[in-house]
Amino acid sequence: MIKISRKILGTLEDAARQASRNAYAPYSSFLVGAALLADDGEIYVGCNVENASFGLTNCAERSALFAAVADGRGRGDFAALLIYTPGEICHSPCGACRQVLSEFLEPESFIYSACDSGEVVAWTMGELLPDSFELSSRSPRN
Ligand code: THU
């Protein structure tokens, strides 16, 4: 597990806030951003992308993760993720995102949530999703 400094946390929050401005959320008007920190310091961002058939909406966290995978990152390559949600309440990642993130982040990795209250809430991946579903036949990286 990598300990995240305040400076890096601030950088992640700035990146997630910036990404939230690009969210496509005409149905909820809830603009979410996420910043995923790779072990080597690279940051991948994502935002929520909604769809008229609501179930196809992609959350900010998964958008960030998928961007990282498209860039060649894989399981165990990530140090932390920060989600920014608008308003005074810092939200935690939805259940679908917890399951997807848990396949790529270590149970000890930190997930942070920032909002407009100034507070930053932190959990470990394992706290957010204990006993995640895994296929036992899966190889370590794919
Ligand atoms: N949303 C996220 O981007 N991340 C979450 O963890 C929860 C919800 C988005 C999906 C939808 O576009 C909007 O927030 C309202 O649910």
Side-chain angles (χ1 to χ4, degrees):
M1 177 187 37
I2 291 183
K3 190 146 168 39
I4 306 300
S5 68
R6 274 185 188 282
K7 184 166 179 280
I8 293 177
L9 209 50
T11 304
L12 287 177
E13 183 172 341
D14 290 347
R17 280 176 179 270
Q18 185 64 44
S20 75
R21 297 193 186 111
N22 296 329
Y24 175 73
Y27 306 106
S28 73
S29 300
F30 194 63
L31 308 183
V32 185
L36 179 60
L37 178 68
D39 282 339
D40 62 0
E42 185 95 16
I43 294 172
Y44 295 93
V45 297
C47 60
N48 51 331
V49 181
E50 297 185 344
N51 190 267
S53 65
F54 299 156
L56 293 178
T57 291
N58 210 67
C59 291
E61 300 92 312
R62 279 176 286 147
S63 297
L65 178 68
F66 297 161
V69 172
D71 194 42
R73 305 294 177 155
R75 297 182 63 210
D77 287 347
F78 304 108
L81 178 136
L82 183 142
I83 172 179
Y84 164 76
T85 55
E88 298 297 309
I89 296 170
C90 298
H91 292 73
S92 64
C94 78
C97 287
R98 293 179 194 201
Q99 175 63 33
V100 173
L101 291 169
S102 74
E103 187 145 333
F104 288 84
L105 278 78
E106 302 301 328
E108 302 79 22
S109 298
F110 277 100
I111 310 283
Y112 299 95
S113 181
C115 55
D116 299 318
S117 70
E119 186 187 11
V120 178
V121 184
W123 308 266
T124 64
M125 185 72 248
E127 283 174 330
L128 286 181
L129 188 64
D131 302 323
S132 62
F133 174 73
E134 283 188 53
L135 278 182
S136 52
S137 60
R138 202 183 58 197
S139 70
R141 285 193 57 90
N142 275 300

